[in-house]
Amino acid sequence: MLGLDSQIRFSIHGGADSGGVAGGVDSLLAFLESAVRQSPAETFHGLLPGIAALQNLHPLFVHFPIALLSLFFALDLAGSLAGRAEWRRVAGWFLYLGVAFAGITVTFGFIAADTVAHGGDVHEIMESHEHLGISVFGLAAFLAVWRGIAKAHPAGPANAFYLALAGLLAGLLAFTADLGGLMVYKYGVSVEAAADANRAAALRHEHGEPDFDQPVDHDEPVVKQELGLGSAIHQDEDGAAHPQAEPAPAAASHQHEHNHKHDH
């Protein structure tokens, strides 16, 4: 009997030769049988392995405010230019939902910032990302309150100012998302495969040690020795040189967890 995780992968990633409807029913029954034999945690991991692998919930919610607030601005602007009040009413609902999800995303972002290992360069990026995220939430909440108090979309000169603020919101949202993508796709923040490298970067940042991300002059023996990359040159009687690897300094074995604390 295949395990739950294997059953799901088989069904999703290739079951075309499983016998049509009969094969699909057989796979479903096998899946249900496996599910009742496993614990809730194992079942959840089998159903949603991506979510189960997350170090924090910030990535799970971050796309909702991006989509909702972007739709709000686009639809509100189009409705204003086209004179379509119904479009702007729908845009208002996108705004309210976007504010709600932005609040959730920022909250989990605070938690992630204090629990995810990251080095010096990433720390600065994370601080900027955090400040921009707070600005997005604050500005979106202000626009939502304005719209809620007025019980309608703005009109006249106030509408031009309102749309200008909505455009600023869209710009801040784009910059916030860009920095988030930079941390994940360049530095591997909160990516399990890059966790060890990020912990090492955080350790170097704390102790002021050389940053491996920076170019290193491998011709400099002192630098090579500090990085544990030095080699001794042994010459035979015939004058031939043979590099011999030297053991890394004892300090290189010093490891510990380090997490930056962020002031909110």
Side-chain angles (χ1 to χ4, degrees), residues 8-30:
I8 294 172
R9 278 205 220 96
F10 176 76
S11 299
I12 294 176
H13 298 293
D17 57 348
S18 59
V21 175
V25 172
D26 182 66
S27 296
L28 176 61
L29 292 176

PDB file of all heavy atoms in Angstrom, residues 8-30:
ATOM      1  N   ILE A   8      -0.823  10.939  -3.205  1.00  0.00           N
ATOM      2  CA  ILE A   8      -1.171  12.277  -3.703  1.00  0.00           C
ATOM      3  C   ILE A   8      -0.272  12.663  -4.858  1.00  0.00           C
ATOM      4  O   ILE A   8      -0.720  13.181  -5.877  1.00  0.00           O
ATOM      5  CB  ILE A   8      -1.058  13.301  -2.564  1.00  0.00           C
ATOM      6  CG1 ILE A   8      -2.127  13.004  -1.513  1.00  0.00           C
ATOM      7  CG2 ILE A   8      -1.229  14.712  -3.077  1.00  0.00           C
ATOM      8  CD1 ILE A   8      -1.985  13.827  -0.282  1.00  0.00           C
ATOM      9  N   ARG A   9       1.033  12.418  -4.722  1.00  0.00           N
ATOM     10  CA  ARG A   9       1.938  12.774  -5.792  1.00  0.00           C
ATOM     11  C   ARG A   9       1.597  12.003  -7.065  1.00  0.00           C
ATOM     12  O   ARG A   9       1.642  12.525  -8.164  1.00  0.00           O
ATOM     13  CB  ARG A   9       3.379  12.481  -5.378  1.00  0.00           C
ATOM     14  CG  ARG A   9       3.976  13.575  -4.523  1.00  0.00           C
ATOM     15  CD  ARG A   9       5.489  13.555  -4.650  1.00  0.00           C
ATOM     16  NE  ARG A   9       6.080  13.792  -3.350  1.00  0.00           N
ATOM     17  CZ  ARG A   9       6.480  12.836  -2.544  1.00  0.00           C
ATOM     18  NH1 ARG A   9       6.351  11.579  -2.892  1.00  0.00           N
ATOM     19  NH2 ARG A   9       7.009  13.113  -1.383  1.00  0.00           N
ATOM     20  N   PHE A  10       1.252  10.727  -6.908  1.00  0.00           N
ATOM     21  CA  PHE A  10       0.887   9.910  -8.062  1.00  0.00           C
ATOM     22  C   PHE A  10      -0.352  10.463  -8.751  1.00  0.00           C
ATOM     23  O   PHE A  10      -0.420  10.560  -9.974  1.00  0.00           O
ATOM     24  CB  PHE A  10       0.650   8.468  -7.601  1.00  0.00           C
ATOM     25  CG  PHE A  10       0.178   7.560  -8.714  1.00  0.00           C
ATOM     26  CD1 PHE A  10       1.075   7.109  -9.667  1.00  0.00           C
ATOM     27  CD2 PHE A  10      -1.141   7.182  -8.802  1.00  0.00           C
ATOM     28  CE1 PHE A  10       0.659   6.274 -10.684  1.00  0.00           C
ATOM     29  CE2 PHE A  10      -1.569   6.348  -9.816  1.00  0.00           C
ATOM     30  CZ  PHE A  10      -0.666   5.895 -10.765  1.00  0.00           C
ATOM     31  N   SER A  11      -1.329  10.871  -7.973  1.00  0.00           N
ATOM     32  CA  SER A  11      -2.588  11.356  -8.547  1.00  0.00           C
ATOM     33  C   SER A  11      -2.404  12.685  -9.246  1.00  0.00           C
ATOM     34  O   SER A  11      -3.002  12.943 -10.284  1.00  0.00           O
ATOM     35  CB  SER A  11      -3.646  11.488  -7.439  1.00  0.00           C
ATOM     36  OG  SER A  11      -3.892  10.238  -6.840  1.00  0.00           O
ATOM     37  N   ILE A  12      -1.554  13.561  -8.672  1.00  0.00           N
ATOM     38  CA  ILE A  12      -1.420  14.912  -9.216  1.00  0.00           C
ATOM     39  C   ILE A  12      -0.426  14.961 -10.364  1.00  0.00           C
ATOM     40  O   ILE A  12      -0.657  15.585 -11.391  1.00  0.00           O
ATOM     41  CB  ILE A  12      -0.993  15.884  -8.109  1.00  0.00           C
ATOM     42  CG1 ILE A  12      -2.097  16.005  -7.067  1.00  0.00           C
ATOM     43  CG2 ILE A  12      -0.670  17.264  -8.673  1.00  0.00           C
ATOM     44  CD1 ILE A  12      -1.730  16.860  -5.878  1.00  0.00           C
ATOM     45  N   HIS A  13       0.708  14.270 -10.197  1.00  0.00           N
ATOM     46  CA  HIS A  13       1.809  14.413 -11.140  1.00  0.00           C
ATOM     47  C   HIS A  13       1.877  13.320 -12.192  1.00  0.00           C
ATOM     48  O   HIS A  13       2.896  13.136 -12.825  1.00  0.00           O
ATOM     49  CB  HIS A  13       3.128  14.465 -10.372  1.00  0.00           C
ATOM     50  CG  HIS A  13       3.217  15.632  -9.455  1.00  0.00           C
ATOM     51  ND1 HIS A  13       3.280  16.931  -9.914  1.00  0.00           N
ATOM     52  CD2 HIS A  13       3.221  15.711  -8.097  1.00  0.00           C
ATOM     53  CE1 HIS A  13       3.336  17.750  -8.891  1.00  0.00           C
ATOM     54  NE2 HIS A  13       3.296  17.045  -7.787  1.00  0.00           N
ATOM     55  N   GLY A  14       0.798  12.576 -12.373  1.00  0.00           N
ATOM     56  CA  GLY A  14       0.826  11.630 -13.478  1.00  0.00           C
ATOM     57  C   GLY A  14       0.052  10.379 -13.192  1.00  0.00           C
ATOM     58  O   GLY A  14       0.610   9.424 -12.688  1.00  0.00           O
ATOM     59  N   GLY A  15      -1.222  10.374 -13.509  1.00  0.00           N
ATOM     60  CA  GLY A  15      -2.007   9.172 -13.367  1.00  0.00           C
ATOM     61  C   GLY A  15      -2.773   8.885 -14.629  1.00  0.00           C
ATOM     62  O   GLY A  15      -3.825   8.265 -14.614  1.00  0.00           O
ATOM     63  N   ALA A  16      -2.247   9.349 -15.772  1.00  0.00           N
ATOM     64  CA  ALA A  16      -2.972   9.222 -17.024  1.00  0.00           C
ATOM     65  C   ALA A  16      -3.115   7.764 -17.449  1.00  0.00           C
ATOM     66  O   ALA A  16      -4.047   7.408 -18.150  1.00  0.00           O
ATOM     67  CB  ALA A  16      -2.260  10.005 -18.121  1.00  0.00           C
ATOM     68  N   ASP A  17      -2.150   6.924 -17.003  1.00  0.00           N
ATOM     69  CA  ASP A  17      -2.206   5.538 -17.397  1.00  0.00           C
ATOM     70  C   ASP A  17      -2.756   4.658 -16.295  1.00  0.00           C
ATOM     71  O   ASP A  17      -2.472   3.474 -16.229  1.00  0.00           O
ATOM     72  CB  ASP A  17      -0.799   5.049 -17.789  1.00  0.00           C
ATOM     73  CG  ASP A  17       0.200   5.228 -16.665  1.00  0.00           C
ATOM     74  OD1 ASP A  17      -0.142   5.917 -15.690  1.00  0.00           O
ATOM     75  OD2 ASP A  17       1.307   4.665 -16.782  1.00  0.00           O
ATOM     76  N   SER A  18      -3.538   5.241 -15.380  1.00  0.00           N
ATOM     77  CA  SER A  18      -4.006   4.500 -14.217  1.00  0.00           C
ATOM     78  C   SER A  18      -5.339   3.799 -14.456  1.00  0.00           C
ATOM     79  O   SER A  18      -5.917   3.236 -13.546  1.00  0.00           O
ATOM     80  CB  SER A  18      -4.137   5.450 -13.018  1.00  0.00           C
ATOM     81  OG  SER A  18      -5.036   6.494 -13.318  1.00  0.00           O
ATOM     82  N   GLY A  19      -5.870   3.860 -15.678  1.00  0.00           N
ATOM     83  CA  GLY A  19      -7.075   3.103 -15.960  1.00  0.00           C
ATOM     84  C   GLY A  19      -8.335   3.925 -15.999  1.00  0.00           C
ATOM     85  O   GLY A  19      -9.412   3.420 -15.672  1.00  0.00           O
ATOM     86  N   GLY A  20      -8.260   5.210 -16.360  1.00  0.00           N
ATOM     87  CA  GLY A  20      -9.446   6.042 -16.498  1.00  0.00           C
ATOM     88  C   GLY A  20     -10.198   6.209 -15.201  1.00  0.00           C
ATOM     89  O   GLY A  20      -9.621   6.366 -14.131  1.00  0.00           O
ATOM     90  N   VAL A  21     -11.545   6.141 -15.301  1.00  0.00           N
ATOM     91  CA  VAL A  21     -12.397   6.353 -14.130  1.00  0.00           C
ATOM     92  C   VAL A  21     -12.146   5.295 -13.065  1.00  0.00           C
ATOM     93  O   VAL A  21     -12.047   5.582 -11.882  1.00  0.00           O
ATOM     94  CB  VAL A  21     -13.880   6.369 -14.541  1.00  0.00           C
ATOM     95  CG1 VAL A  21     -14.764   6.475 -13.310  1.00  0.00           C
ATOM     96  CG2 VAL A  21     -14.148   7.513 -15.508  1.00  0.00           C
ATOM     97  N   ALA A  22     -12.014   4.036 -13.494  1.00  0.00           N
ATOM     98  CA  ALA A  22     -11.792   2.949 -12.544  1.00  0.00           C
ATOM     99  C   ALA A  22     -10.479   3.152 -11.788  1.00  0.00           C
ATOM    100  O   ALA A  22     -10.398   2.965 -10.568  1.00  0.00           O
ATOM    101  CB  ALA A  22     -11.785   1.609 -13.265  1.00  0.00           C
ATOM    102  N   GLY A  23      -9.444   3.566 -12.523  1.00  0.00           N
ATOM    103  CA  GLY A  23      -8.160   3.821 -11.872  1.00  0.00           C
ATOM    104  C   GLY A  23      -8.237   4.985 -10.918  1.00  0.00           C
ATOM    105  O   GLY A  23      -7.624   4.977  -9.846  1.00  0.00           O
ATOM    106  N   GLY A  24      -9.007   6.019 -11.302  1.00  0.00           N
ATOM    107  CA  GLY A  24      -9.159   7.166 -10.423  1.00  0.00           C
ATOM    108  C   GLY A  24      -9.874   6.805  -9.143  1.00  0.00           C
ATOM    109  O   GLY A  24      -9.504   7.251  -8.056  1.00  0.00           O
ATOM    110  N   VAL A  25     -10.920   5.990  -9.240  1.00  0.00           N
ATOM    111  CA  VAL A  25     -11.647   5.538  -8.057  1.00  0.00           C
ATOM    112  C   VAL A  25     -10.744   4.698  -7.160  1.00  0.00           C
ATOM    113  O   VAL A  25     -10.751   4.827  -5.939  1.00  0.00           O
ATOM    114  CB  VAL A  25     -12.906   4.751  -8.467  1.00  0.00           C
ATOM    115  CG1 VAL A  25     -13.563   4.112  -7.247  1.00  0.00           C
ATOM    116  CG2 VAL A  25     -13.890   5.663  -9.188  1.00  0.00           C
ATOM    117  N   ASP A  26      -9.949   3.825  -7.790  1.00  0.00           N
ATOM    118  CA  ASP A  26      -9.031   2.985  -7.018  1.00  0.00           C
ATOM    119  C   ASP A  26      -8.021   3.838  -6.265  1.00  0.00           C
ATOM    120  O   ASP A  26      -7.716   3.582  -5.091  1.00  0.00           O
ATOM    121  CB  ASP A  26      -8.316   2.020  -7.961  1.00  0.00           C
ATOM    122  CG  ASP A  26      -7.388   1.083  -7.204  1.00  0.00           C
ATOM    123  OD1 ASP A  26      -7.882   0.258  -6.416  1.00  0.00           O
ATOM    124  OD2 ASP A  26      -6.159   1.195  -7.393  1.00  0.00           O
ATOM    125  N   SER A  27      -7.486   4.866  -6.929  1.00  0.00           N
ATOM    126  CA  SER A  27      -6.537   5.760  -6.273  1.00  0.00           C
ATOM    127  C   SER A  27      -7.201   6.516  -5.126  1.00  0.00           C
ATOM    128  O   SER A  27      -6.602   6.718  -4.068  1.00  0.00           O
ATOM    129  CB  SER A  27      -5.955   6.756  -7.286  1.00  0.00           C
ATOM    130  OG  SER A  27      -5.216   6.090  -8.273  1.00  0.00           O
ATOM    131  N   LEU A  28      -8.461   6.950  -5.328  1.00  0.00           N
ATOM    132  CA  LEU A  28      -9.177   7.669  -4.284  1.00  0.00           C
ATOM    133  C   LEU A  28      -9.396   6.787  -3.063  1.00  0.00           C
ATOM    134  O   LEU A  28      -9.188   7.207  -1.923  1.00  0.00           O
ATOM    135  CB  LEU A  28     -10.514   8.179  -4.821  1.00  0.00           C
ATOM    136  CG  LEU A  28     -11.431   8.878  -3.804  1.00  0.00           C
ATOM    137  CD1 LEU A  28     -10.742  10.116  -3.232  1.00  0.00           C
ATOM    138  CD2 LEU A  28     -12.752   9.253  -4.451  1.00  0.00           C
ATOM    139  N   LEU A  29      -9.793   5.534  -3.290  1.00  0.00           N
ATOM    140  CA  LEU A  29     -10.022   4.621  -2.179  1.00  0.00           C
ATOM    141  C   LEU A  29      -8.713   4.324  -1.430  1.00  0.00           C
ATOM    142  O   LEU A  29      -8.681   4.258  -0.201  1.00  0.00           O
ATOM    143  CB  LEU A  29     -10.647   3.318  -2.689  1.00  0.00           C
ATOM    144  CG  LEU A  29     -12.078   3.429  -3.238  1.00  0.00           C
ATOM    145  CD1 LEU A  29     -12.538   2.097  -3.807  1.00  0.00           C
ATOM    146  CD2 LEU A  29     -13.034   3.917  -2.151  1.00  0.00           C
ATOM    147  N   ALA A  30      -7.629   4.165  -2.198  1.00  0.00           N
ATOM    148  CA  ALA A  30      -6.328   3.928  -1.563  1.00  0.00           C
ATOM    149  C   ALA A  30      -5.901   5.136  -0.742  1.00  0.00           C
ATOM    150  O   ALA A  30      -5.341   5.000   0.353  1.00  0.00           O
ATOM    151  CB  ALA A  30      -5.287   3.607  -2.633  1.00  0.00           C
TER     152      ALA A  30
END
